Amino acid sequence: MAVGVACGAALAALTVPAAEAGPLGEGGPHWAPKDPGTPQIRFRGLAAVDRHTAWLAGTGGTVLRTTDGGGSWRNVSPPGAGELQFRDVEAFDARRAVVLAIGEGEASRVYRTDDGGATWTESFRNTDPKAFYDCLSFFDRRHGLAMGDPVDGRFRILATSDGGRSWRVLPSAGMPPALDGEAGFAASGQCLVTSGPKDVWLATGGGAHARVLHSADRGLTWTAAGAPVPAGDPARGVFALAFRDRTHGLAVGGDYRPDKPSPQAAAVTADGGRTWTPAATPPPAYRSGAAWLPHSRTAALAVGPTGTDLTTDAGRTWRTIDSGSYDTVACTADLSCWAAGEQGRVARLER
């Protein structure tokens, strides 16, 4: 099913102190299921355009779109993509979107549509057997990047300047060396995020230390900073980032294995990612997605397989407000938020 949030009053209610706001689902704001009838699909890619329009990308080469707030969903999957795993989707409006398929070698692909998914064009197919792409993000309608795991010791970056119609591999000279075992996590489409016309951040795990890399020139040169979340294992690291502007950001993650604890599963930065501070009260378990609430300087959501958490102090403390399983979350400028995850789960926050 599909999850979405769309109500200014509901979002406002979520930002009051814990003592004044009831948990989701108890008479107040709640995740309202927007079931697309695809329980066999796991949706890790989500693009929320506004309270009416959202795109989903998931397993089995599946892409869905709604233009009526989740009341109905249209299967707009690219033909012949049934063996692909779509993990990210970026949408500019109800008609134009770009989706990323992940995997080794030619399994990593990018498709673009200009007609609401009626037709798709494959704009990139990876031919390097050592490359594996994880996430993509756009600065504007023309300029965007896709992030891949390290190739020859450095993270691989693709760039587009025509809205995803064509892509080129950027030079690696400005990328710091990767740590042993370091990689990205294609868990929510949020391991690569942008803010403004040129700033972009990518999240890592799997190495001795979790890191966040930042570029202020659309991916040409990067700097790396340690992030105080669980690391030292292929299953641990930063899984998602969210920036409300070019200086204030959140990082969430942990250990995705359900039988492993994830202490310090969130961190915060106020200097554009140069330094990260662990949350004083982090989410209680691994979280794979995060989003700032619309027009808020202090409120954000984090989601994962064991629940949804809310911060009202810009990431310093978190409290669990729902126990449902979601992998990714997104909010829009018109006071709308959506979430999606396993077993076709999709919802919107409503009152």
Side-chain angles (χ1 to χ4, degrees):
M1 63 182 148
V3 176
V5 180
C7 175
L11 291 176
L14 279 177
T15 64
V16 302
E20 302 174 27
L24 290 179
E26 292 188 9
H30 60 281
W31 285 123
K34 304 294 179 181
D35 186 359
T38 54
Q40 76 280 12
I41 304 300
R42 187 166 196 163
F43 294 113
R44 293 186 183 271
L46 165 66
V49 176
D50 53 38
R51 67 181 61 194
H52 304 293
T53 302
W55 297 70
L56 299 168
T59 53
T62 304
V63 180
L64 304 183
R65 184 192 63 148
T66 183
T67 56
D68 61 4
S72 62
W73 293 88
R74 181 179 178 185
N75 188 330
V76 295
S77 305
E83 299 301 316
L84 299 179
Q85 304 297 309
F86 288 128
R87 292 293 181 91
D88 202 354
V89 56
E90 301 292 325
F92 307 114
D93 50 40
R95 297 183 62 78
R96 290 172 287 187
V98 178
V99 296
L100 171 72
I102 63 104
E104 296 179 349
E106 293 192 2
S108 284
R109 305 179 194 179
V110 179
Y111 294 81
R112 177 183 165 111
T113 182
D114 290 293
D115 55 14
T119 62
W120 293 87
T121 299
E122 182 184 304
S123 58
F124 173 78
R125 182 181 296 208
N126 173 50
T127 58
D128 188 336
K130 297 180 291 184
F132 185 116
Y133 289 89
D134 300 296
C135 297
L136 57 84
S137 188
F138 278 81
F139 302 95
D140 52 42
R141 289 175 179 262
R142 294 173 51 213
H143 300 91
L145 301 177
M147 162 200 171
D149 290 339
V151 174
D152 298 328
R154 297 176 191 272
F155 282 93
R156 175 70 59 87
I157 302 294
L158 285 178
T160 180
S161 57
D162 57 11
R165 295 178 179 88
S166 65
W167 298 83
R168 69 189 188 282
V169 177
L170 290 184
S172 63
M175 177 67 71
L179 305 177
D180 289 344
E182 192 175 27
F185 293 108
S188 61
Q190 295 175 322
C191 60
L192 183 76
V193 300
T194 61
S195 180
K198 293 185 177 182
D199 286 278
V200 57
W201 297 263
L202 68 84
T204 83
H209 308 285
R211 300 196 298 174
V212 176
L213 279 62
H214 170 239
S215 171
D217 56 11
R218 290 185 182 158
L220 294 177
T221 61
W222 298 79
T223 57
V229 301
D233 185 276
R236 299 174 186 159
V238 178
F239 282 71
L241 299 168
F243 276 78
R244 66 172 172 84
D245 53 38
R246 65 187 307 267
T247 57
H248 298 89
L250 305 169
V252 299
D255 190 320
Y256 71 75
R257 295 170 292 191
D259 59 336
K260 301 293 184 180
S262 290
Q264 296 185 328
V268 60
T269 182
D271 58 12
R274 287 190 292 273
T275 61
W276 292 85
T277 302
T281 305
Y286 155 72
R287 295 295 181 251
S288 56
W292 290 90
L293 293 183
H295 312 298
S296 174
R297 299 175 62 85
T298 58
L301 295 170
V303 299
T306 62
T308 298
D309 304 291
L310 170 71
T311 179
T312 57
D313 55 13
R316 287 182 288 276
T317 62
W318 296 82
R319 63 185 177 94
T320 302
I321 55 176
D322 184 78
S323 60
S325 174
Y326 300 108
D327 291 316
T328 187
V329 60
C331 298
T332 64
D334 70 340
L335 299 176
S336 170
C337 293
W338 299 73
E342 62 182 342
Q343 298 179 343
R345 291 173 60 84
V346 187
R348 199 179 66 182
L349 196 61
E350 297 180 355
R351 194 172 179 83

